[in-house]
Amino acid sequence: MGCSDEASSWIAKRLEKWLLRQVVKEHYIFYQYRKGGAKEGYCTHCGRMVPIKNPKYNQMGVCSRCRQKVQFKSVNKSGSVFTGRETAYLIQRCKPGIILRRFDVRMYLSKGNFLNPDIYFHETKRYLYDEEFHMEPYYYGDFKNRGCRWIAGDCDGQWTGYYYYYYTTSTQGKVYPKTLPDLDRKELKQTGLVPWIQKHPILNPHEYLSSWRKLPVIEQVLKADLPRLTEELVQSPKQFICREHSGGLAKRLGIDNEKLKRLRKLNGGISVLYWLQEEKKENLCLSDELICWFIQNNIQPENLDFIKDRMSYVQIKNYLIRQQKGHREDIYQALVTWEDYLSMAKRLKMDVYDGIVYRAAKLYQRHQELVKYIEENKLSVTARELADTYPYINDILPELQEKYGFSDETYMIVAPEKIEDILKEGQALHHCIDKKKEYFERINNRESFILFLRKTKQPDQPYYTLEVEPGGVIRQKRTEFDRQKKDIDKASAFLRKWQAEVQKRLTKEDRNLAKRSRETRIESYAAMRKKKVKINGGLFAGQFLADVLEADLMEIPDAEKKAA
């Protein structure tokens, strides 16, 4: 047994058995080969000899005593065994607050000594919290080549004193339970962490405390038996802005007690809460069926700000269903097209409060007519205007091809070299990229980039325009008139292959940019809606930016994401 920080004897005694039984996932039954089949073997989970029947080497099975999944190993054939790394946490009182300790755990069984498994638990991270839960992280590593010690900071790739260690395993793990009841009576009582651990045996306690620190109402939501809402707020606390910091839960959530009962009955998440808040704000009474329809189509109350002063929610639903019928795009995209159409109509000084305009009988046709009119009258943004507003773009674009360019026999990814290339792409495909500035702002900030998907045999022919994050996540892929056609499905395998290739090329700076971009996309939706951050022109005109980014997302596959 070993520990990177000289562990006290009580930790060694109390933790070792728990780590072996509860944290280590890979267990074995070792048996001595006998003619006619072994009758008993040693279970590493039980720590005892148990009856077995006709075992085969490396066969998977279940221990007859403890019901643990095991792999059978013959003592004569097996060499030494090291299990995979697991994660465990220990929370202790540490004046003036608590300390959260993270361990890397493995079990080692040496050849010929299988009856005495060793547990190696190396402490790799510490989080110190004071009485106000201000946190200071530490990691164990080589300090300026002067020897190993605990170092202030938040780094997961350091020399531990035993090996050069990169924390590539999951930070989700089990929490040692013996210290929790006492801490829950005092230090952790206000956080709700202990009940959360009871509901989620595998977790990262630091992530929960970080979310609770940003949004203390999580503790009340958890204890009010609202599991879905709790999950969503813990994962992304910035989704919700708590405007009341005292009083009952209903008041802090921006609803009343009757709506709180309704939220609990529906096991509602943040989306249901948004609609119940809208009900209270507008003094409405919306049916559960109507609310669920909007949520199923990824529509929130803020998405309808552009039209709800002229139509009821039932009328909006019926209009979207009629307009979407016969089109490949879904209801949400029909809403995007509607909002874009009215934004362009307002720009062209049309009376958007006239029913003939705002409730056009043929929405898609009218939308295309306005796009064409803007093109013919040269009302799009210009390269010079963009270069003056966003001075870094023409320096950023030439760097993209080397990192993001890619091709196979059928498709290729091409990066624009200058602003004019992007504008020409928008004009050729008749979509909104040359009619708005938001894409260029994101390029200027290195939040996302514009790339072109082309067919290899037609490298100069515009095909699809992509918006991608620095790490390769595809936010949008659009062809003529801001559409997606069935042919994009054929290109999906290529885009996945391209994403995997991009992962190999990313630098540390790229990964930091990708992380920031992802955090912005995931966590800033509520703040952006509060500030009413909308896109000003093109197909997505008037639409909230966070919702647009969600609409066409193509994440990195799990394998590549873990590697990143």
Side-chain angles (χ1 to χ4, degrees):
M1 180 187 66
C3 184
S4 59
D5 185 40
E6 295 182 2
S8 58
S9 59
W10 78 266
I11 292 180
K13 292 178 181 178
R14 294 169 186 256
L15 273 185
E16 183 173 357
K17 185 175 181 180
W18 177 75
L19 293 171
L20 178 64
R21 301 288 185 261
Q22 300 297 327
V23 177
V24 173
K25 296 177 182 177
E26 300 173 37
H27 283 280
Y28 306 89
I29 289 183
F30 288 93
Y31 62 92
Q32 189 76 40
Y33 174 77
R34 285 185 174 83
K35 189 174 182 180
K39 304 299 182 184
E40 66 175 3
Y42 177 80
C43 174
T44 60
H45 187 260
C46 294
R48 297 186 182 184
M49 299 298 292
V50 297
I52 57 176
K53 185 177 180 180
N54 299 323
K56 294 182 180 179
Y57 186 70
N58 281 341
Q59 181 184 35
M60 299 304 296
V62 176
C63 173
S64 60
R65 183 178 181 275
C66 65
R67 311 311 299 171
Q68 171 70 29
K69 290 183 179 180
V70 296
Q71 186 176 35
F72 291 100
K73 292 280 188 181
S74 168
V75 172
N76 308 86
K77 292 184 179 181
S78 180
S80 298
V81 177
F82 242 132
T83 63
R85 294 189 180 97
E86 305 293 345
T87 298
Y89 290 94
L90 170 67
I91 307 176
Q92 296 172 281
R93 184 172 287 113
C94 181
K95 292 185 178 180
I98 63 169
I99 180 172
L100 172 62
R101 307 169 71 178
R102 187 174 81 187
F103 294 89
D104 177 37
V105 182
R106 302 182 79 183
M107 179 175 68
Y108 174 67
L109 302 120
S110 60
K111 184 176 182 179
N113 190 28
F114 302 115
L115 299 181
N116 296 293
D118 287 320
I119 294 295
Y120 286 83
F121 55 102
H122 303 290
E123 190 175 356
T124 59
K125 204 71 172 285
R126 288 178 175 178
Y127 301 96
L128 294 179
Y129 295 88
D130 65 15
E131 292 174 311
E132 301 298 323
F133 281 87
H134 297 110
M135 184 272 297
E136 187 173 3
Y138 290 83
Y139 65 91
Y140 193 75
D142 189 357
F143 182 70
K144 298 182 179 180
N145 296 319
R146 297 176 187 174
C148 291
R149 51 164 276 190
W150 286 101
I151 306 168
D154 196 5
C155 183
D156 279 331
Q158 297 295 329
W159 173 254
T160 66
Y162 298 90
Y163 50 87
Y164 197 75
Y165 172 75
Y166 283 96
Y167 204 90
T168 55
T169 54
S170 172
T171 59
Q172 305 286 308
K174 290 191 174 183
V175 181
Y176 183 65
K178 299 296 184 181
T179 62
L180 297 180
D182 186 42
L183 291 171
D184 193 37
R185 284 190 286 268
K186 186 178 179 182
E187 287 86 354
L188 295 177
K189 183 177 181 180
Q190 63 178 323
T191 68
L193 176 59
V194 174
W196 184 253
I197 291 172
Q198 292 168 349
K199 294 177 181 291
H200 299 79
I202 306 295
L203 80 163
N204 184 335
H206 167 62
E207 291 181 353
Y208 176 86
L209 288 174
S210 178
S211 296
W212 168 79
R213 182 91 172 87
K214 297 172 185 174
L215 192 64
V217 75
I218 284 176
E219 182 259 347
Q220 283 183 274
V221 174
L222 171 63
K223 293 179 179 178
D225 191 26
L226 294 166
R228 180 175 295 179
L229 182 59
T230 311
E231 290 274 0
E232 293 180 5
L233 293 180
V234 170
Q235 291 175 9
S236 184
K238 291 183 181 178
Q239 290 184 88
F240 177 68
I241 298 175
C242 189
R243 295 177 177 83
E244 298 288 343
H245 300 287
S246 62
L249 178 59
K251 181 179 178 182
R252 297 184 72 183
L253 293 179
I255 54 179
D256 55 38
N257 289 328
E258 287 301 316
K259 288 180 173 52
L260 180 59
K261 293 178 183 178
R262 191 175 172 193
L263 180 65
R264 186 181 291 112
K265 179 182 176 182
L266 294 172
N267 187 21
I270 191 70
S271 295
V272 174
L273 177 59
Y274 287 153
W275 277 103
L276 295 178
Q277 289 174 335
E278 180 74 2
E279 268 194 341
K280 186 174 187 300
K281 176 184 174 184
E282 301 293 337
N283 194 25
L284 298 171
C285 183
L286 305 177
S287 69
D288 291 348
E289 180 185 4
L290 183 62
I291 289 176
C292 290
W293 184 87
F294 280 119
I295 292 174
Q296 288 168 2
N297 288 285
N298 300 313
I299 298 173
Q300 295 299 329
E302 294 89 345
N303 302 143
L304 305 178
D305 284 347
F306 74 98
I307 192 63
K308 68 183 183 182
D309 60 340
R310 281 153 278 179
M311 298 172 68
S312 72
Y313 287 109
V314 173
Q315 289 175 324
I316 291 171
K317 172 188 172 182
N318 293 336
Y319 180 76
L320 286 171
I321 291 173
R322 287 198 305 271
Q323 297 303 319
Q324 184 265 348
K325 188 176 181 180
H327 292 271
R328 185 170 181 262
E329 295 184 330
D330 57 22
I331 291 290
Y332 181 85
Q333 287 302 321
L335 176 67
V336 169
T337 300
W338 189 12
E339 193 171 3
D340 179 47
Y341 157 70
L342 287 180
S343 178
M344 289 189 292
K346 185 176 181 180
R347 183 179 171 191
L348 296 174
K349 309 299 183 184
M350 297 170 64
D351 183 2
V352 293
Y353 285 88
D354 186 331
I356 295 177
V357 176
Y358 72 73
R359 195 158 46 185
K362 297 182 179 180
L363 174 63
Y364 284 87
Q365 178 180 322
R366 293 293 293 140
H367 175 272
Q368 291 183 18
E369 288 172 356
L370 294 193
V371 169
K372 185 177 180 181
Y373 180 86
I374 289 174
E375 289 178 347
E376 291 175 347
N377 289 274
K378 303 184 184 301
L379 298 178
S380 300
V381 291
T382 66
R384 183 170 181 176
E385 177 187 357
L386 292 168
D388 289 341
T389 306
Y390 308 113
Y392 303 116
I393 290 183
N394 279 327
D395 292 327
I396 293 173
L397 294 180
E399 303 172 359
L400 301 181
Q401 182 62 30
E402 182 177 355
K403 188 160 296 179
Y404 298 104
F406 185 65
S407 65
D408 66 7
E409 295 179 356
T410 308
Y411 301 103
M412 62 191 304
I413 298 288
V414 179
E417 296 180 357
K418 52 187 181 298
I419 292 174
E420 287 84 347
D421 295 339
I422 300 176
L423 297 180
K424 289 178 182 178
E425 179 90 352
Q427 292 161 6
L429 294 177
H430 308 288
H431 55 40
C432 60
I433 200 167
D434 62 317
K435 302 171 183 64
K436 59 198 300 182
K437 296 182 179 180
E438 282 76 6
Y439 292 112
F440 299 94
E441 180 179 358
R442 294 201 284 269
I443 296 172
N444 196 64
N445 296 334
R446 294 184 182 269
E447 180 187 337
S448 66
F449 306 120
I450 295 298
L451 302 174
F452 307 146
L453 173 65
R454 302 275 170 83
K455 293 184 177 179
T456 305
K457 294 181 179 179
Q458 299 174 303
D460 299 322
Q461 178 65 39
Y463 183 47
Y464 270 83
T465 307
L466 310 178
E467 182 190 9
V468 303
E469 294 179 4
V473 172
I474 300 174
R475 289 187 175 184
Q476 298 190 73
K477 39 192 183 298
R478 295 285 158 178
T479 188
E480 292 179 304
F481 300 105
D482 276 298
R483 295 174 178 170
Q484 275 190 25
K485 299 181 179 179
K486 292 183 179 180
D487 57 358
I488 194 62
D489 297 334
K490 297 179 181 178
S492 293
F494 167 78
L495 293 174
R496 290 295 186 197
K497 187 164 58 173
W498 169 77
Q499 287 179 322
E501 179 62 29
V502 166
Q503 299 308 300
K504 303 173 186 177
R505 305 178 186 177
L506 299 179
T507 64
K508 183 178 180 179
E509 181 184 1
D510 296 326
R511 296 185 191 281
N512 288 336
L513 288 171
K515 181 180 179 182
R516 287 202 298 269
S517 181
R518 179 178 175 83
E519 290 173 350
T520 298
R521 169 168 50 85
I522 292 176
E523 296 185 355
S524 66
Y525 300 147
M528 292 167 64
R529 290 182 179 121
K530 181 182 178 182
K531 295 178 182 178
K532 299 187 182 299
V533 179
K534 295 183 179 181
I535 297 173
N536 296 323
L539 176 59
F540 302 105
Q543 175 71 324
F544 283 92
L545 177 59
D547 294 330
V548 173
L549 297 179
E550 283 183 317
D552 197 24
L553 197 65
M554 187 173 182
E555 288 267 28
I556 304 294
D558 289 342
E560 286 80 17
K561 193 185 296 183
K562 290 177 181 177

